[in-house]
Amino acid sequence: QWSTLAVDQAHPPPPTDPPPEEARIEGALEAINGGTWVVGGTSVTVTGTTEIKDSPQVGNQVRVRALRHQDGNLIATRIEKR
């Protein structure tokens, strides 16, 4: 007779991705290419939910709060001029 434990061991639950880590970046806003901004040499993705304060332009010093996903992508949650 099969037990529930034996079935669970034979089919473990799929692994879950760890939650993204918070990251902070400060530096010059070097480029804006659509949804990708380059800050201090680091590319970050800007989405419709990214909070952008003070209308930063290329050349401005900015502070970025982002979420670093397991694949290494940085998704900006907030960008503001310093």
Side-chain angles (χ1 to χ4, degrees):
Q1 175 168 338
W2 291 95
S3 70
T4 301
L5 181 59
V7 172
D8 289 346
Q9 288 174 342
H11 302 285
T16 58
D17 290 337
E21 299 175 359
E22 187 170 316
R24 293 177 186 249
I25 303 156
E26 294 188 20
L29 177 54
E30 298 171 1
I32 298 174
N33 299 311
T36 302
W37 292 26
V38 180
V39 177
T42 301
S43 293
V44 296
T45 300
V46 176
T47 68
T49 61
T50 303
E51 181 182 358
I52 300 173
K53 306 274 286 181
D54 305 322
S55 301
Q57 302 295 315
V58 171
N60 292 149
Q61 292 293 313
V62 296
R63 179 178 296 132
V64 178
R65 277 194 258 169
L67 296 175
R68 184 183 311 273
H69 291 264
Q70 185 177 13
D71 62 6
N73 284 332
L74 287 166
I75 309 298
T77 57
R78 180 182 173 115
I79 301 174
E80 62 185 326
K81 284 175 30 178
R82 286 191 2 210

